[in-house]
Amino acid sequence: MSQTKQWLTIQIGEVWCLHETSVIREILDFITPVGVAGAPEFVSGIINYRSEILTLIDASSILHLNYTNPTQDQKIITYEINHGIYGLKVDGVGEILNFTEDVIDQSESPLDDPYKLITGSVEINDEIFCAIDIPTFIHNFLSINKAD
């Protein structure tokens, strides 16, 4: 039997996603990043975050959604991954839900997802949520592109 975990609901464009809370470091108000030449399309730039450099990832870009203009609801969810600090720009943060991981339908992602961002989907109260895993996405991106 699986253990109950906490999942944060995250809005990315018009899509609602879930992310396990145990790997989230902090949630910040949106800060405009400084662009980085030659960065992958999904990297919005970098931010000076408590005297460390945080790489900001645009969730909309990863999911191939249209760009959204900054609003007061946008947040940055921070993670410590591979000895680096990363942030995920999202359009909103909702509630925390409790359920076991085995309720996630882990069927194939409909997107071209070589970095394994999407882990499945969950239907809760007649609403579909996309389950995502940013630490695995970052780890896989860094591993795949290390050889380049």
Side-chain angles (χ1 to χ4, degrees):
M1 184 170 169
S2 295
Q3 181 180 1
T4 299
K5 296 181 180 182
Q6 292 188 320
W7 301 82
L8 178 65
T9 59
I10 302 167
Q11 184 179 11
I12 303 171
E14 298 298 317
V15 177
W16 279 94
C17 297
L18 296 168
H19 198 294
E20 186 182 345
T21 61
S22 68
V23 296
I24 295 172
R25 183 175 180 179
E26 185 172 7
I27 299 173
L28 309 171
D29 288 330
F30 183 75
I31 302 166
T32 303
V34 175
V36 177
E41 182 179 313
F42 60 81
V43 173
S44 294
I46 57 174
I47 296 169
N48 185 343
Y49 167 74
R50 298 187 180 162
S51 302
E52 296 182 274
I53 300 299
L54 178 148
T55 302
L56 185 62
I57 297 166
D58 184 343
S60 295
S61 179
I62 296 171
L63 294 174
H64 309 291
L65 301 172
N66 294 331
Y67 173 79
T68 55
N69 290 319
T71 68
Q72 67 183 26
D73 293 335
Q74 282 188 332
K75 301 290 183 197
I76 297 173
I77 300 173
T78 64
Y79 308 86
E80 188 166 350
I81 306 164
N82 294 352
H83 308 291
I85 307 296
Y86 293 85
L88 180 69
K89 181 185 95 168
V90 299
D91 295 308
V93 173
E95 63 185 317
I96 293 177
L97 304 174
N98 296 298
F99 58 87
T100 59
E101 202 165 12
D102 58 358
V103 302
I104 297 173
D105 177 5
Q106 298 181 357
S107 56
E108 278 297 308
S109 169
L111 299 175
D112 178 22
D113 189 12
Y115 307 119
K116 307 290 185 236
L117 170 67
I118 299 171
T119 61
S121 62
V122 179
E123 183 176 348
I124 301 170
N125 298 330
D126 296 325
E127 202 169 335
I128 301 291
F129 292 86
C130 173
I132 61 173
D133 183 348
I134 291 299
T136 297
F137 171 84
I138 296 295
H139 175 77
N140 290 343
F141 175 78
L142 294 173
S143 296
I144 290 170
N145 290 290
K146 186 185 275 187
D148 290 351

